[in-house]
Amino acid sequence: MENIGTVLELTEKEAIILTSSKGFMSIKRRPGMFLGQKVQFKKSDIINPRSKIAMFSTIASGIAAVLVITFFYIQSFYTNQDIYAYVDVDINPSLELMIDQENEIVKVKAINEDANTLLEDLELKGMQVKTALTEVVKESREKGFIEKDKETVVLISAALNEDSQKDKNLYGNEDKLDKLLNTIDSRMDELEQENITSKIIKVDTEDMVKARENDMSMGKYAVYKEAREKGIDIALSEVKEGNITELVKKTGISLGDESDPALNVAVSPSPTPIPKPTTSVVLPTPTLEPTPTPKPVATITPAPEYTPTPTRMPKGMVAAGDRSILYSGSWSTIEGQSKTSGATGSYVEFTFTGSSLKWFGAIGNKQGKADVYIDGELDASVDCYTSDKPMRNILIYQKSGLTKGSHTIRIVVKGDKHPLSKETFIEVNAFQYK
C-alpha cells in the first residue's frame, strides 16, 4: 500500500516526513528528494515509525502544521525565484532539470519510473547543466538504457520559467537560454559516439504547461504535437510511455536542433523539385535595373572591406564565401562572406566528408523558408522567421548519424515565408562538419 508524506528534513540516508494520518516518520532517502516535496512510500521504506513523535498533542501538531506550511510557502517562493529555466532529457528515462541563472541545477525531477532508477546513484543538484548531461549519458550506459550496438536518440528540450517569460528582461532571458542550448549542443556533440544522436529543441511556455498537465516531458509532447500536425494517428499515452528512439523512428519526424522557436525543423510533405545543378558560381547581382545616365553609376553596392581574421576557424568550419561551396541562382554577399538570397529555386550546395553537418545562418523578420536535401533526398524544411531580434550565426539545421564518407547538402530557397515575414531571404554564414 502506498502512503504519502511531505519531506521536512533530509540526512545522508534518511528523510523525515510529515503524513496526514501517521504524523512524523522516517523513511529511506531517495535521489532527487528535496524539502517540501510530496513523496510516496511503502511500509518497507519506513526506517523508524517515530511513534513518540507521532503522539504529539493536537495543539502541538496544529502549531507544527502551521509552521510547516509557512516554512514551505516561503521556501517554495524563494526556490521558484531561483529557477529561470527547465531542461528535460529523454532517453527512455525522462527527467527534468530545474536550473538557475548560473546554469546550475537547483532541482531534479524524475518524470517516469526509468528516471527513478537512473537517479538512484546520481546526485545532479549543484552541477552545471553540461556536466550533468555527461553524467546522465554515462549512467544511462552503465544501467543499460543506452546500448553500445544500438542506435539511441537523446532528446533535450528547454523552456523558460513562466516568470522569466513575463519578465521585462525577456529578451535577455531568451538570449541566455539560447546560449545555454548552444553549450548543450557542443557538449552533446562530444558525446555523439557509439550510435548516440542528440536532438535539441526550445519549447514555448504554452507547450511546457501542456506537457506538465499530461505528466510528460516537454520533448515527448513536442513529438506528439508534431506527429499530430503531420496527420500521424498516435495516442498521447503511446508517446508518454514510449521509447524516444522508437517514437522518432515510427513517426518519421525531424525535430530541429533549435536555438530559436522560429526554427521549427520538420519534414515537408511536399518537397520542392531539386533544380539541376550548374557548374558555375553565380556572382552577386543587383536586384534593380541600372540607372541609364551618361555618367557611370555604381548600381552594385561595393562589398564592405573584409580582412580575414588571423584566428583559426574551428575544426571543420567552412565560411559561406569558401570556394568549395557552390551557389546557383541569385545570391548576394553581405557582412564580408555571408551569402543571402530570396529568389525561388536558388540553392547552395556543399560536399563534405564526415558523418554530421551543421548549417549556421540568420533569423529575423525578413527571413523565409527553405528545403534542405541530403544526398539528393529531402530531409527537412526550415522557416527562419522570428519576431524577436534578428540574429546571425545561429544554428539553423543539423544532421548527424550519417555513414562516414562523402555527403552533399543542398539548401533550396522556397520563395515562401511566414505570414508576418517581410521578405523570403535565406542566409548562409557557415557550415561545420565532422
Side-chain angles (χ1 to χ4, degrees):
M1 178 180 175
E2 296 279 350
N3 300 288
I4 298 177
T6 303
V7 179
L8 302 183
E9 181 183 342
L10 291 171
T11 65
E12 185 177 354
K13 296 182 179 180
E14 295 183 30
I16 312 303
I17 63 172
L18 175 63
T19 67
S20 59
S21 59
K22 298 180 181 180
F24 294 86
M25 305 190 75
S26 178
I27 65 172
K28 297 173 186 176
R29 178 172 179 171
R30 298 192 296 265
M33 280 185 167
F34 55 87
L35 296 180
Q37 180 185 25
K38 286 193 177 295
V39 295
Q40 290 185 329
F41 64 96
K42 299 177 182 178
K43 188 175 181 180
S44 59
D45 294 325
I46 300 173
I47 296 175
N48 181 357
R50 300 206 171 199
S51 56
K52 291 182 181 180
I53 298 177
M55 294 294 291
F56 279 168
S57 67
T58 304
I59 296 175
S61 297
I63 294 173
V66 171
L67 291 174
V68 167
I69 292 171
T70 304
F71 168 75
F72 288 125
Y73 174 80
I74 296 172
Q75 194 257 358
S76 174
F77 173 79
Y78 283 106
T79 301
N80 287 338
Q81 291 292 89
D82 289 339
I83 298 169
Y84 100 95
Y86 302 90
V87 176
D88 287 1
V89 183
D90 288 294
I91 300 175
N92 189 38
S94 294
L95 57 126
E96 183 171 79
L97 308 176
M98 301 168 219
I99 60 176
D100 63 16
Q101 291 285 347
E102 302 302 318
N103 291 332
E104 287 188 358
I105 297 172
V106 177
K107 293 182 183 178
V108 181
K109 174 186 174 184
I111 299 176
N112 59 13
E113 194 57 42
D114 282 341
N116 282 323
T117 302
L118 179 70
L119 293 170
E120 283 176 355
D121 301 311
L122 277 181
E123 184 55 63
L124 302 178
K125 186 175 179 181
M127 282 188 186
Q128 285 283 314
V129 176
K130 61 180 182 180
T131 305
L133 289 173
T134 302
E135 293 301 313
V136 167
V137 171
K138 179 181 176 183
E139 190 71 9
S140 295
R141 284 197 186 105
E142 292 180 0
K143 292 193 172 177
F145 294 115
I146 295 178
E147 298 178 33
K148 190 173 182 179
D149 57 349
K150 190 176 180 181
E151 183 181 349
T152 301
V153 172
V154 178
L155 176 59
I156 298 172
S157 50
L160 288 172
N161 182 7
E162 297 96 320
D163 293 333
S164 297
Q165 286 279 18
K166 297 172 185 176
D167 196 288
K168 63 180 180 181
N169 190 30
L170 173 61
Y171 294 114
N173 287 325
E174 288 280 1
D175 289 344
K176 189 174 183 65
L177 186 60
D178 288 344
K179 289 177 182 177
L180 173 61
L181 289 175
N182 282 328
T183 300
I184 290 174
D185 180 55
S186 298
R187 177 51 57 95
M188 293 309 296
D189 274 352
E190 297 169 9
L191 299 174
E192 279 191 7
Q193 52 186 336
E194 299 180 4
N195 298 323
I196 295 178
T197 300
S198 64
K199 292 179 179 291
I200 303 171
I201 61 174
K202 189 163 75 173
V203 178
D204 61 29
T205 304
E206 183 181 350
D207 285 348
M208 177 185 70
V209 171
K210 288 180 180 177
R212 285 182 177 176
E213 289 174 351
N214 290 284
D215 196 24
M216 64 196 301
S217 70
M218 297 181 288
K220 282 192 173 181
Y221 183 78
V223 170
Y224 171 74
K225 182 179 177 181
E226 187 170 332
R228 298 292 292 182
E229 288 175 352
K230 286 183 61 181
I232 298 172
D233 186 16
I234 188 169
L236 185 66
S237 58
E238 182 180 351
V239 177
K240 180 178 175 180
E241 303 299 331
N243 177 286
I244 193 65
T245 303
E246 297 304 319
L247 287 170
V248 170
K249 285 182 180 178
K250 180 176 180 178
T251 58
I253 66 174
S254 177
L255 292 168
D257 302 273
E258 307 173 24
S259 54
D260 188 277
L263 306 182
N264 293 316
V265 181
V267 176
S268 172
S270 53
T272 304
I274 306 177
K276 293 183 180 180
T278 62
T279 56
S280 61
V281 177
V282 179
L283 296 175
T285 56
T287 56
L288 299 177
E289 291 293 326
T291 306
T293 61
K295 284 185 169 185
V297 177
T299 57
I300 302 178
T301 304
E305 291 185 8
Y306 175 73
T307 304
T309 173
T311 306
R312 285 196 313 180
M313 295 190 72
K315 185 178 179 181
M317 184 74 80
V318 180
D322 193 274
R323 293 183 179 180
S324 63
I325 302 174
L326 170 69
Y327 293 90
S328 176
S330 178
W331 292 85
S332 298
T333 303
I334 57 173
E335 296 293 322
Q337 290 197 36
S338 295
K339 302 285 187 177
T340 184
S341 175
T344 304
S346 291
Y347 69 88
V348 53
E349 190 171 275
F350 174 59
T351 299
F352 63 98
T353 300
S355 60
S356 65
L357 178 80
K358 295 178 181 178
W359 159 32
F360 295 90
I363 59 174
N365 60 2
K366 294 184 179 181
Q367 306 305 118
K369 299 180 180 181
D371 285 329
V372 182
Y373 296 82
I374 296 294
D375 298 332
E377 300 233 345
L378 179 67
D379 189 67
S381 179
V382 298
D383 186 349
C384 298
Y385 165 78
T386 178
S387 59
D388 292 339
K389 179 182 177 182
M391 296 178 70
R392 285 198 168 93
N393 297 311
I394 294 295
L395 180 62
I396 305 292
Y397 166 87
Q398 173 176 288
K399 182 69 176 179
S400 59
L402 296 169
T403 304
K404 189 130 183 116
S406 179
H407 300 281
T408 299
I409 181 174
R410 179 179 292 188
I411 302 166
V412 182
V413 180
K414 295 182 72 172
D416 192 11
K417 64 184 182 68
H418 186 281
L420 298 179
S421 183
K422 298 177 182 178
E423 302 289 349
T424 59
F425 292 123
I426 291 296
E427 187 170 317
V428 179
N429 300 141
F431 291 108
Q432 186 176 23
Y433 66 93
K434 67 175 185 177

